Amino acid sequence: MAAPALQQPSYLLANLKADWTTKPLLQRCQDLVKVIDDYSAKELHHIFPWLVESIFGSFDGVLVGWNLRFVQPRTNEYNIALDFLHPSGPMLKLVYKLQAEEHKYEVPISYLPGPVKASIQQGVLPDSPFFHNKLQFPMSGIPQMTFNPFEYYMFNFASSLLAPKNYPAGNATSRDSAYFILVDSYLKYFLPTEGNVPSSPFSDLRSSMSPPPPRSPAVPLLGYGAHITSLLKRHISHQPSVNADPAAQEIWRSETLLQVFVELWLHHYSLEMYQKLQSPQVKLALLQYRLNMSSMLCQSPGPPASGTLHSYQEPFSPTEEHVLVVRLLVKHLHAFSNSLKPEQISSSPSPHSHASPLEEFKRVVVQRFVQQKLYVFLQHCFGHWPLDASFRSVLETWLSYIQPWRYTGEKNNPPVDGQVKSVPEQWASFVQENLLIYTKLFQGFLNRAVRTDLVNAKNAQMVFRVAKVFAQPNLADMIQKGEQFFLEPEHVLHHRQNRVFLTPAHGGSFLSSRQPVATDAVFKVKSHVYSLEGQDCQYKQMFGTELRYALNAGQLSQLMANLASTQDDMGFKKLPDCILGDNGPVLTDLGRMQIINGLRRFEIEYQGDPELQPIRSFENAFLVRLFYQLSSFLNERFGVHMEALCSRPDFLGRVGRHYLTSSSTVAERKRRSPAPRRNPERQHRPRVSLRVLASYRTLLMALLIYLLGALLSLGLLSSTGLLLVAGLVYELLVNVMFADKPKFH
C-alpha cells in the first residue's frame, strides 16, 4: 500500500506539466490554488522547484516562464500574475507551508554572482552572511548552495531580472511591468514603513522558523564569520519565550529578502574590486590558503575549478531595467530607514537596548547592507555606460541615494520667496559616512560630462540635475567638512589598531552583535573611505585646487578658444580641426570636441555621377527613372556627335558645351571637402541630362506657363513652342558672354 503514496507526487507533477501547456493562465492558477490547499507539504515539496522555474524561467534564460518583465497592465495575464504572486497570495502560502517542514532546495554555484562563485571555487567563504551555512559538496563534485523554501523562491525571483531578454519590450516601460510592481510589493510588505512584518499563515505550526543550522566543520572553507550569530538568534536568546515577540520570529524574512536582492543585483564587478573590498581577515585567510593550506581542498569530492582569483573578470553590463529596479530598492530603503521615530534615532544603541529587531534593522539597513556594493555598482556604471541619454536611469539612482532627506515621509512645503530649501543639519553624519559616493562619483560624472554631446537637450538636462542637487544649501559644507575629517593626521586615531573598522564584512549577519563604535566623526569617515578604497587610496578632494583647475580652467579655456575660432573673417564656418592623412582628413581631439558641441562641421556633398544620386523628396520617382532611361538612350545613340559638336571652337561649339557639359562642370566646382581627389584630371564626356524635368518645381512652372497661355487663347503646341523659343533665346544671349575653350579630346 506504500507504493501508490510514493508515486503520488510524480503523478501530480505529471498532471500539472500536462495542463501547463494546454490550459490558460487563469485556469492553471485556479488549479494550483486547489493543489496548494489540498495536498500536504511532503507532496508539494516535489513540485516546488518545477513550479518556481515555470514561473520565473531558468537561470540561463532559455525558459522564460511567465515573462513577468514584459507583462503589462493592458494584458489579461497582468492581474492574474500579481494576485497569484502577491506577498499574501497562493504562491507565498505554498512557500510558508514548505518552510514549516524545513525542506531544502539546491542551486549550483554557477548561478551565483561571478565574484562569489570565483571566491567559493578557491575555498574562501564570501563576506556576506547570506552564503554562510549553505554550501555543500555533493557526490557529483559540483558545489551547491542549499536554500530553504523562502530563500529559494526569492533567489529565483531576483535572478529572473538578470536573465537574458528573449522578447523585445516595444513601447512598454519597465516601471509598468508585473515584475517591477512585484518588487515594489515585496519591499513594502517585508520592509514596512509602518507597523511590523505580517506573520506568515503557518507560523502557528512551529514555535520558530529559525535560520539554517550552523555549517559543519567538515566543509573546507576558510570563512571567518560562521561563529557569529544573526540578529534573530541574538534577540531570541535574550527573550524568555519566542512567542512573546512575534516580530522576532518573522524578522528573518526581511533580512533574507534584502540580502538576496543586494547580493544578486549589486554584486557584479571585477574580482580585483571584490578582493579590495574584502576584510583583512579574508585577505589573511586567502594568503594562508595559497601558502600552506591548499591540501584542504582535497577533502572535497569534486575537483577545484580551473579559474583563479587573479584571472577572473566578469563581463557584466547592467541594463536600464536593472538600474530602475535598483533605484526602486534604494528609494524604499531610505523610506524604510527614515520611518524610525525621532526618539529611536536620537537614542544611542547599546547591547541592552530593548528596541525591536525591526527597529534595529531600520537603524543600520542602508549603511551595512547597501552602501558598499551600491558604490561599486554605480562606479561600474559610470565607467562603462554608453555616452547617451539612457544614463539618466543610473544618474537618478545615484541622486536618490545621496538625498535620503527626500524620503522622510514629510510633505515638502514649497520654498518661500523662491529660496531653495537647505539640507537639514541632521543629515551631516550620513553625508560624511558616505563621502566617496558624493565626491568620487561626482568626479566620475564630470569625466562623462566633458565627453558627452551637451547640445542634446537630454544630456544637458542631466548636467542641470546634478548641479541643482549639489547646489542645495548646507550640502557643500557637509561634504567639505567630511573631507576635512578624512585629511586629519593619523595621530588623531590613536590606538587605531585596537579598533575594528565598521565594514559589513565583520559580522556573520549585518545585524550581528554590535562592535565597539567610535564616536568621533574622523574615525567614521576614515573607516568609510578605507573600507571602500583600501588603506592605500589616493583621495582627490572635491573642493581641492587640483580638481577645480583640471575640470574648470582647462575646459573653460578650451571652450573659449573654440568659440573664438568658430568663424573666420568672412563669417563662414571653418572645417573641424584635422590633419590630412593618406586616406583623407583625420580628426584631432579638438576637432572631435568641435563636432560634438556643434561648433564646426564638414560640408558633405554628393560627389558621384549626378545622374545616379538618390531621388530627392522634391522629385517624382517615376519621372526620374523614365528620363534617366531616355537620357541614357540619347547619350549612347548620339554620343559621338555630341563630342564632335562640343569640340568645335565656334559659336555652335560653345552652345553645345553649355548645354551638354554644364552638369559635369557644376559638379566639379562644388567640391569643398579637404579629402584628396582620386582623379583630379578626370574628363567628362558630353551628355544629355533630362533629370531637371522630373522636379516638381519644373513641373509646376510648366503648368503655370500653360495656364497663362490658355488665358491668352494660345493652344498647347503654341505654348510649348513659345516656351522653347524664349528659353533658347535667353540661353543664347547669356552664352555669348562665355568663350570657353575646348576641353575634350
Side-chain angles (χ1 to χ4, degrees), residues 93-104:
K93 183 179 179 181
L94 170 61
V95 171
Y96 299 142
K97 197 171 184 177
L98 297 172
Q99 186 78 31
E101 300 295 331
E102 296 187 351
H103 290 288
K104 302 297 180 182

Side-chain angles (χ1 to χ4, degrees), residues 556-593:
L556 182 60
S557 61
Q558 185 182 52
L559 180 61
M560 295 302 296
N562 292 343
L563 292 176
S565 60
T566 298
Q567 295 183 344
D568 58 9
D569 297 336
M570 301 299 295
F572 296 105
K573 289 185 178 180
K574 292 182 178 179
L575 295 176
D577 187 69
C578 56
I579 57 177
L580 193 60
D582 296 336
N583 298 321
V586 179
L587 283 173
T588 63
D589 292 338
L590 177 60
R592 296 188 186 95
M593 184 69 67

Side-chain angles (χ1 to χ4, degrees), residues 726-738:
L728 182 60
V729 171
Y730 173 77
E731 292 293 340
L732 290 177
L733 292 177
V734 174
N735 190 52
V736 171
M737 302 178 61
F738 297 93

Side-chain angles (χ1 to χ4, degrees), residues 329-639:
L329 173 65
V330 169
K331 292 169 61 177
H332 184 81
L333 289 181
H334 275 322
F336 176 71
S337 178
N338 294 337
S339 62
L340 274 174
K341 298 178 181 179
E343 58 271 15
Q344 297 170 342
I345 300 177
S346 59
S347 61
S348 58
S350 65
H352 304 288
S353 174
H354 297 287
S356 67
L358 188 63
E359 293 170 353
E360 297 185 16
F361 193 31
K362 293 179 180 181
R363 190 191 307 275
V364 299
V365 63
V366 175
Q367 297 296 106
R368 298 196 186 183
F369 271 93
V370 182
Q371 183 201 67
Q372 185 185 64
K373 292 183 173 63
L374 180 65
Y375 169 73
V376 180
F377 178 82
L378 292 176
Q379 197 174 36
H380 176 83
C381 292
F382 274 52
H384 296 81
W385 203 273
L387 295 173
D388 55 23
S390 65
F391 184 73
R392 181 67 181 266
S393 58
V394 179
L395 182 74
E396 293 298 336
T397 303
W398 173 48
L399 297 181
S400 295
Y401 182 82
I402 65 176
Q403 298 182 92
W405 47 86
R406 294 177 53 190
Y407 310 101
T408 58
E410 301 176 358
K411 293 184 178 180
N412 295 327
N413 298 324
V416 181
D417 298 333
Q419 297 181 354
V420 180
K421 188 177 180 180
S422 61
V423 178
E425 194 64 33
Q426 69 189 63
W427 296 105
S429 60
F430 178 88
V431 174
Q432 295 161 5
E433 294 174 17
N434 292 271
L435 183 65
L436 288 178
I437 305 182
Y438 286 89
T439 60
K440 190 164 184 178
L441 291 184
F442 177 79
Q443 297 169 20
F445 174 77
L446 290 183
N447 292 333
R448 289 183 57 92
V450 297
R451 295 181 286 121
T452 304
D453 179 15
L454 297 182
V455 177
N456 187 308
K458 294 182 179 179
N459 294 335
Q461 178 69 16
M462 289 191 286
V463 177
F464 172 76
R465 285 281 294 122
V466 175
K468 185 177 180 180
V469 169
F470 280 85
Q472 296 178 86
N474 287 351
L475 180 57
D477 297 335
M478 295 177 182
I479 296 175
Q480 195 166 9
K481 188 66 174 178
E483 291 186 327
Q484 294 175 359
F485 286 153
F486 176 73
L487 297 176
E488 286 287 338
E490 290 295 333
H491 64 78
V492 176
L493 297 179
H494 59 282
H495 305 300
R496 188 177 64 180
Q497 64 276 12
N498 296 328
R499 298 181 178 180
V500 180
F501 281 153
L502 297 179
T503 63
H506 281 82
S509 168
F510 285 88
L511 303 178
S512 58
S513 301
R514 295 188 181 91
Q515 304 290 343
V517 180
T519 57
D520 59 290
V522 176
F523 175 79
K524 292 181 179 179
V525 175
K526 288 181 177 289
S527 171
H528 158 70
V529 175
Y530 291 149
S531 65
L532 295 184
E533 290 293 331
Q535 297 278 351
D536 55 348
C537 69
Q538 299 293 329
Y539 182 77
K540 182 184 294 186
Q541 291 181 258
M542 181 174 175
F543 297 97
T545 56
E546 180 183 1
L547 181 62
R548 289 194 176 191
Y549 178 78
L551 296 167
N552 188 1
Q555 293 295 328
L556 182 60
S557 61
Q558 185 182 52
L559 180 61
M560 295 302 296
N562 292 343
L563 292 176
S565 60
T566 298
Q567 295 183 344
D568 58 9
D569 297 336
M570 301 299 295
F572 296 105
K573 289 185 178 180
K574 292 182 178 179
L575 295 176
D577 187 69
C578 56
I579 57 177
L580 193 60
D582 296 336
N583 298 321
V586 179
L587 283 173
T588 63
D589 292 338
L590 177 60
R592 296 188 186 95
M593 184 69 67
Q594 291 169 340
I595 292 180
I596 289 177
N597 292 278
L599 301 177
R600 296 184 182 181
R601 61 184 177 87
F602 286 108
E603 294 291 339
I604 301 177
E605 295 180 354
Y606 183 79
Q607 299 180 5
D609 188 352
E611 295 297 311
L612 298 178
Q613 60 181 315
I615 299 176
R616 309 304 174 85
S617 59
F618 55 82
E619 293 178 321
N620 185 282
F622 172 75
L623 293 180
V624 169
R625 297 185 179 97
L626 178 63
F627 288 137
Y628 175 74
Q629 295 178 358
L630 181 59
S631 300
S632 300
F633 173 76
L634 295 176
N635 292 330
E636 184 178 358
R637 184 70 179 271
F638 304 102

Side-chain angles (χ1 to χ4, degrees), residues 141-423:
I142 302 177
Q144 294 180 343
M145 304 297 296
T146 302
F147 296 138
N148 62 40
F150 186 81
E151 294 168 339
Y152 183 78
Y153 174 83
M154 287 302 172
F155 186 89
N156 280 267
F157 173 76
S159 298
S160 63
L161 177 64
L162 308 178
K165 287 187 176 182
N166 290 317
Y167 297 104
N171 296 326
T173 60
S174 300
R175 294 184 180 90
D176 297 331
S177 67
Y179 188 88
F180 194 87
I181 300 301
L182 282 174
V183 172
D184 187 51
S185 300
Y186 289 154
L187 290 174
K188 292 179 179 178
Y189 187 89
F190 295 107
L191 302 173
T193 56
E194 297 180 1
N196 295 323
V197 181
S199 302
S200 66
F202 293 88
S203 60
D204 56 340
L205 297 181
R206 303 179 63 88
S207 59
S208 175
M209 295 183 190
S210 60
R215 176 175 56 87
S216 172
V219 177
L221 287 177
L222 305 177
Y224 55 88
H227 63 282
I228 302 179
T229 59
S230 67
L231 170 66
L232 173 63
K233 294 181 179 178
R234 177 180 65 83
H235 193 87
I236 291 179
S237 64
H238 290 85
Q239 296 288 338
S241 172
V242 276
N243 293 328
D245 188 358
Q249 182 178 340
E250 299 298 329
I251 189 64
W252 67 268
R253 292 182 298 164
S254 304
E255 185 176 351
T256 298
L257 173 84
L258 188 54
Q259 287 181 7
V260 171
F261 286 178
V262 170
E263 294 302 323
L264 290 183
W265 294 343
L266 300 180
H267 207 154
H268 294 268
Y269 35 79
S270 66
L271 197 70
E272 179 183 0
M273 179 62 69
Y274 179 76
Q275 289 177 309
K276 184 171 67 172
L277 297 180
Q278 292 280 27
S279 67
Q281 289 92 334
V282 171
K283 295 178 180 179
L284 178 60
L286 181 60
L287 179 61
Q288 292 175 346
Y289 164 75
R290 287 174 175 169
L291 292 177
N292 55 10
M293 302 185 69
S294 58
S295 61
M296 295 185 64
L297 283 178
C298 298
Q299 301 176 10
S300 61
S306 59
T308 62
L309 289 177
H310 283 300
S311 63
Y312 168 77
Q313 181 76 15
E314 184 184 20
F316 177 71
S317 298
T319 62
E320 187 175 0
E321 177 188 20
H322 182 177
V323 176
L324 290 175
V325 174
V326 171
R327 186 187 181 218
L328 176 65
L329 173 65
V330 169
K331 292 169 61 177
H332 184 81
L333 289 181
H334 275 322
F336 176 71
S337 178
N338 294 337
S339 62
L340 274 174
K341 298 178 181 179
E343 58 271 15
Q344 297 170 342
I345 300 177
S346 59
S347 61
S348 58
S350 65
H352 304 288
S353 174
H354 297 287
S356 67
L358 188 63
E359 293 170 353
E360 297 185 16
F361 193 31
K362 293 179 180 181
R363 190 191 307 275
V364 299
V365 63
V366 175
Q367 297 296 106
R368 298 196 186 183
F369 271 93
V370 182
Q371 183 201 67
Q372 185 185 64
K373 292 183 173 63
L374 180 65
Y375 169 73
V376 180
F377 178 82
L378 292 176
Q379 197 174 36
H380 176 83
C381 292
F382 274 52
H384 296 81
W385 203 273
L387 295 173
D388 55 23
S390 65
F391 184 73
R392 181 67 181 266
S393 58
V394 179
L395 182 74
E396 293 298 336
T397 303
W398 173 48
L399 297 181
S400 295
Y401 182 82
I402 65 176
Q403 298 182 92
W405 47 86
R406 294 177 53 190
Y407 310 101
T408 58
E410 301 176 358
K411 293 184 178 180
N412 295 327
N413 298 324
V416 181
D417 298 333
Q419 297 181 354
V420 180
K421 188 177 180 180
S422 61
V423 178

Side-chain angles (χ1 to χ4, degrees), residues 713-744:
S713 301
L714 296 177
L716 183 61
L717 294 178
S718 302
S719 299
T720 303
L722 183 61
L723 179 63
L724 294 177
V725 171
L728 182 60
V729 171
Y730 173 77
E731 292 293 340
L732 290 177
L733 292 177
V734 174
N735 190 52
V736 171
M737 302 178 61
F738 297 93
D740 297 338
K741 296 182 179 180
K743 298 181 182 179
F744 300 94

